[in-house]
Amino acid sequence: MTVGGKHVVVRPARQIGGSLRLPGDKSIAHRYAMLAGTADGTSVLRNFASGADCASTLGCMAALGCAVVRDADGTVKVEGRGRGLKEPSGPLDCGNSGSTMRMLAGILAAQPFATEMRGDGSLSRRPMARIIEPLGRMGASIAGEDGGRPPLKVRGGALHGVEHQLTVASAQVKSCLLFAGLLAEGVTAVEEPQRTRDHGELALRAFGAEVTRERNRTTIRGGQPLHAIDAYVPGDISSAAFFLCAAAMLPGSRLVIDGLLLNPTRAAILDVLAGMGATIRMLEVEERHGELVGTVQITGGKLSGARIAGAQTAALIDELPVLGAIAAYTNDGIEVRDARELRVKESDRIAVLATNLRAMGVQIEEFEDGFRMAGKQRPHGAKVDPAGDHRIAMACAVAALGAEGDTTITGADCVGISFPDFFSLLERVAIR
Ligand code: S3P
């Protein structure tokens, strides 16, 4: 692999081998940092996520008056201010991070001051009506541009609990409303159409709040105090997915990842890969602050294929690009449906993935809500452009490992959004 400026050249690999431990999970790190800021005392968050997205959250918390210290070993300390965040002196910069904007808006909605939240070009195109409407019903006033796009002007105030039915399965919106509900008067209930990741619920409990769940309905009572925690953020399973998929698709690969997040609402990628024929063993599984953590060993083999739809699509939402990347190397192909949400992620992930895989010679059928690729195709190296989307850049790198010839990924430094060390770790485990 050659890294030149923002271009990375990925050479094909025979196998993946070795062992890895990954930086902390992005979803959990965002939530821990936000709740730490609204807790009493100083929280110590070990193995914090290393990417720019969680740095955006830390920057916002610092701007809201929480002292944030980051050590070289990945430990972050956040001083909590209880309910009383400080009015920031200017707009909050959420960078590329939809999680920062959507979830933090729930906390800002309850503060006695107005805040503006901004983001980069990609974030400025993402839909925010899904939080603006329910937070408005709770008593906040939030104004967006152009039918509910960032920047957002949040005028906080006294909130009251509401019942809210999510129209799209979104864990960010669920967490946003639970965070607002914690700071509201009365009870807030959020009902989701499909079960999404439950880190918001687990994090609230870890910080001392009571959250109840009955089927897909989650309830929180307002006014509960939070206390600081000392926690280890488990390795990011959505980052691991790139290595797991690469190992699964290259027969003879054997990879071990320890300290990995294995929360059942996030681990669907393991079921899919095992269902297609990879051999997966889970060892030393334990619970930390409500989250399951353990060691995964994967052995690659001939993969069959998969059809992913409905609740499984929601559970795999961040892993769909990399499943698309390995589809051509399977026996029977992969079809993904019910994935309209992919079109409003950091990029239109269906369109950008399709364009790049086509450049690599893959035949792909694109649907409004997904894609289908036949198996037994023979991708070749190409010049690809992930359009600034970190998960598309990493998915292209995985596709490149099985292709004939080298692949050049332009603008590859976008992996820094979630996984700055991705290419160096890939180089460490790629066997040529
Ligand atoms: C996330 C939820 C998902 C996911 C995102 C992180 C979270 O987004 O795509 O990367 O941490 O709650 P949605 O809530 O928009 O589905």
Side-chain angles (χ1 to χ4, degrees):
M1 184 175 61
T2 337
V3 181
K6 295 178 176 177
H7 292 26
V8 170
V9 178
V10 181
R11 287 183 293 129
R14 271 189 304 116
Q15 286 169 353
I16 296 292
S19 60
L20 291 173
R21 172 172 291 187
L22 299 177
D25 185 74
K26 183 160 93 71
S27 289
I28 296 178
H30 280 301
R31 288 164 170 88
Y32 280 2
M34 289 178 201
L35 295 181
T38 46
D40 293 317
T42 297
S43 292
V44 181
L45 309 176
R46 302 172 198 278
N47 196 42
F48 197 80
S50 57
D53 265 10
C54 289
S56 292
T57 288
L58 292 178
C60 291
M61 298 317 291
L64 290 162
C66 308
V68 174
V69 180
R70 189 172 197 144
D71 298 342
D73 70 351
T75 298
V76 167
K77 295 192 184 86
V78 181
E79 182 196 34
R81 293 181 60 103
R83 289 172 144 243
L85 293 175
K86 187 181 88 130
E87 182 169 357
S89 57
L92 295 180
D93 182 5
C94 301
N96 189 249
S97 174
S99 299
T100 307
M101 187 171 284
R102 292 192 179 128
M103 296 195 286
L104 192 54
I107 293 172
L108 295 176
Q111 305 300 319
F113 50 77
T115 335
E116 183 173 334
M117 307 180 90
R118 303 186 151 270
D120 67 6
S122 153
L123 182 52
S124 300
R125 288 188 291 276
R126 298 185 67 185
M128 294 294 150
R130 53 187 68 183
I131 58 158
I132 294 176
E133 189 277 322
L135 289 175
R137 280 198 296 116
M138 293 179 83
S141 148
I142 304 184
E145 310 260 308
D146 179 26
R149 318 261 155 194
L152 299 183
K153 293 200 169 74
V154 182
R155 178 162 293 285
L159 301 183
H160 52 83
V162 292
E163 292 262 340
H164 185 70
Q165 192 113 27
L166 296 182
T167 45
V168 279
S170 166
Q172 291 174 358
V173 178
K174 176 175 57 171
S175 288
C176 162
L177 299 179
L178 293 176
F179 292 179
L182 176 78
L183 304 172
E185 201 170 300
V187 172
T188 295
V190 184
E191 175 114 27
E192 41 186 352
Q194 267 127 16
R195 183 124 198 245
T196 62
R197 61 192 75 188
D198 61 358
H199 307 302
E201 298 90 304
L202 297 178
L204 281 160
R205 284 190 191 134
F207 279 88
E210 201 180 302
V211 180
T212 53
R213 172 171 201 109
E214 213 179 301
R215 282 189 293 277
N216 285 359
R217 187 171 191 271
T218 310
T219 310
I220 189 162
R221 184 172 34 81
Q224 304 181 64
L226 300 185
H227 55 71
I229 59 170
D230 183 333
Y232 179 88
V233 184
D236 192 322
I237 188 161
S238 296
S239 296
F242 298 99
F243 297 107
L244 294 169
C245 286
M249 100 182 170
L250 296 171
S253 296
R254 174 169 288 202
L255 180 71
V256 175
I257 307 181
D258 71 355
L260 188 63
L261 176 68
L262 293 174
N263 176 322
T265 65
R266 289 290 299 288
I269 185 68
L270 299 177
D271 299 328
V272 173
L273 293 176
M276 289 199 292
T279 305
I280 294 179
R281 288 181 65 203
M282 281 195 251
L283 315 157
E284 293 159 26
V285 180
E286 57 172 328
E287 198 181 310
R288 295 189 198 170
H289 288 95
E291 295 284 3
L292 286 188
V293 190
T295 298
V296 166
Q297 181 191 294
I298 183 163
T299 309
K302 264 263 148 258
L303 296 181
S304 55
R307 185 176 191 279
I308 294 156
Q312 211 183 7
T313 295
L316 283 162
I317 195 72
D318 291 337
E319 286 70 67
L320 297 174
V322 68
L323 282 171
I326 64 169
Y329 301 103
T330 63
N331 216 30
D332 307 324
I334 293 182
E335 177 173 349
V336 171
R337 301 309 291 258
D338 303 319
R340 259 174 223 92
E341 275 293 299
L342 281 185
R343 296 209 180 264
V344 290
K345 292 290 178 190
E346 286 84 328
S347 69
D348 175 342
R349 285 187 169 158
I350 297 176
V352 179
L353 183 72
T355 302
N356 285 314
L357 292 179
R358 281 187 188 122
M360 298 179 73
V362 176
Q363 293 206 14
I364 165 166
E365 198 179 342
E366 196 179 325
F367 309 110
E368 215 278 295
D369 70 339
F371 52 81
R372 177 162 58 212
M373 275 171 264
K376 295 193 202 122
Q377 300 195 50
R378 309 260 333 247
H380 54 74
K383 188 167 181 177
V384 297
D385 176 5
D389 187 325
H390 55 129
R391 295 204 199 278
I392 299 291
M394 294 186 276
C396 287
V398 171
L401 295 175
E404 204 163 293
D406 294 352
T407 295
T408 301
I409 303 175
T410 63
D413 53 348
C414 65
V415 301
I417 291 296
S418 62
F419 198 179
D421 289 336
F422 170 73
F423 286 110
S424 56
L425 292 180
L426 185 61
E427 199 52 15
R428 210 174 86 195
V429 295
I431 301 169
R432 298 205 156 86

